[in-house]
Amino acid sequence: MIGIIGAMEKEIAMLRDKICGVQEKKIGVTRFYQGMLWGKEVCLALCGIGKIHAALCAQAMILHFSPDAIINIGVAGALDERLDIADIVIGAYGVQHDVDTTAFGDPLGCIPEINIVELPCDKHLMAAMERAADSQGLRHITAGIATGDQFIHQSEKKQHLHAHFGAAACDMEGAAIAQVCVEMQVPYGAYRAISDTLMGDEKEYMEKAMLAASASQRLLEAFFSQL
């Protein structure tokens, strides 16, 4: 079974409507939808916005549904000037840019206890996503995705995240899910469709998020055909 996590209704609604024999279960504030999607057994979750919601969702999914892998989907802001609206960033790793214990000599983003900055994505899932993007003619790059409990809209901050972490997109959930998967030893994959460009802002996001969400669904359907 494949676990699929999205943060917002607009990121999962089109997918939920396509699940055959869907069964809904609520755990805490998270809603899970189990059934068959494009011939594969899935558990789809709407985790809510932010790292804590994302981590709680991933932990509950692993403990209650035992997925073989978890895929984090959705939209995100670009950190790379090459990216345009609805382009795809396939995650090579996730980083939590707002974790800062540099006062104790740690590198920025280092996760206490596990001492990791770059939380790795599964290479097989990554390769399948790359093939899927190619098959759909979706422009894509494979890079890091930076996560923090902030909506990043200042171009200076975006440029800092790109320069420091090598990340090409920023969101508010991905690396929290990655951390849970690393600690629970569940393969993790992630991708983001760009909803706002490097020089974009919250207005661009509001106008373009649904276009990006549609590209996200196209990629996921093609990805399933690669499994």
Side-chain angles (χ1 to χ4, degrees), residues 49-105:
I49 294 171
K51 286 166 50 177
I52 292 177
H53 281 141
L56 286 169
C57 174
Q59 182 86 329
M61 180 177 281
I62 291 168
L63 294 177
H64 290 269
F65 299 97
S66 301
D68 298 306
I70 288 180
I71 308 299
N72 182 215
I73 67 168
V75 306
L79 302 177
D80 189 313
E81 63 183 4
R82 295 174 293 172
L83 294 167
D84 204 349
I85 299 299
D87 286 349
I88 302 293
V89 176
I90 295 168
Y93 55 87
V95 296
Q96 296 186 39
H97 65 77
D98 58 351
V99 174
D100 187 347
T101 55
T102 55
F104 300 98

Side-chain angles (χ1 to χ4, degrees), residues 23-34 43-48 52-53 55-66:
Q23 297 182 9
E24 180 178 341
K25 184 175 184 178
K26 186 176 181 182
I27 302 172
V29 300
T30 306
R31 295 187 181 277
F32 296 87
Y33 305 92
Q34 195 169 9
C43 180
L44 173 68
L46 175 63
C47 70
I52 292 177
H53 281 141
L56 286 169
C57 174
Q59 182 86 329
M61 180 177 281
I62 291 168
L63 294 177
H64 290 269
F65 299 97
S66 301

Side-chain angles (χ1 to χ4, degrees), residues 2-8 11-12 15 43-48 50 54-55 57-58 61 69-76 88-91 93-94 121 125 129 145-147 170-179 181 187-193 216 219-220 223-224:
I2 304 297
I4 306 167
I5 298 176
M8 298 179 291
E11 293 173 329
I12 73 151
L15 297 172
C43 180
L44 173 68
L46 175 63
C47 70
C57 174
M61 180 177 281
I70 288 180
I71 308 299
N72 182 215
I73 67 168
V75 306
I88 302 293
V89 176
I90 295 168
Y93 55 87
C121 294
L125 298 175
M129 290 177 188
I145 299 174
T147 297
C170 58
D171 67 12
M172 297 178 65
E173 297 82 27
I177 298 169
Q179 180 180 341
C181 288
Y188 168 76
Y191 68 83
R192 287 291 186 273
S216 172
L219 178 59
L220 188 67
F223 167 76
F224 269 48

Side-chain angles (χ1 to χ4, degrees), residues 63-220:
L63 294 177
H64 290 269
F65 299 97
S66 301
D68 298 306
I70 288 180
I71 308 299
N72 182 215
I73 67 168
V75 306
L79 302 177
D80 189 313
E81 63 183 4
R82 295 174 293 172
L83 294 167
D84 204 349
I85 299 299
D87 286 349
I88 302 293
V89 176
I90 295 168
Y93 55 87
V95 296
Q96 296 186 39
H97 65 77
D98 58 351
V99 174
D100 187 347
T101 55
T102 55
F104 300 98
D106 298 326
L108 185 64
C110 186
I111 307 298
E113 309 302 330
I114 60 174
N115 296 318
I116 295 175
V117 175
E118 296 183 356
L119 297 150
C121 294
D122 181 83
K123 294 186 182 302
H124 298 291
L125 298 175
M126 193 189 315
M129 290 177 188
E130 291 169 342
R131 293 193 300 269
D134 287 337
S135 75
Q136 293 298 301
L138 290 166
R139 292 183 67 238
H140 64 93
I141 62 174
T142 300
I145 299 174
T147 297
D149 280 322
Q150 308 158 11
F151 180 85
I152 305 298
H153 60 94
Q154 309 96 331
S155 59
E156 297 83 1
K157 179 69 171 178
K158 292 180 180 182
Q159 291 165 356
H160 164 73
L161 295 178
H162 179 60
H164 189 88
F165 294 109
C170 58
D171 67 12
M172 297 178 65
E173 297 82 27
I177 298 169
Q179 180 180 341
V180 173
C181 288
V182 166
E183 296 196 26
M184 299 291 287
Q185 299 183 335
V186 174
Y188 168 76
Y191 68 83
R192 287 291 186 273
I194 296 302
S195 56
D196 47 294
T197 56
L198 180 63
M199 302 307 293
D201 55 16
E202 62 273 18
K203 182 175 184 292
E204 183 178 53
Y205 165 80
M206 294 297 291
E207 292 174 350
K208 303 298 185 181
M210 286 306 299
L211 181 63
S214 178
S216 172
Q217 180 182 303
R218 280 178 59 202
L219 178 59
L220 188 67

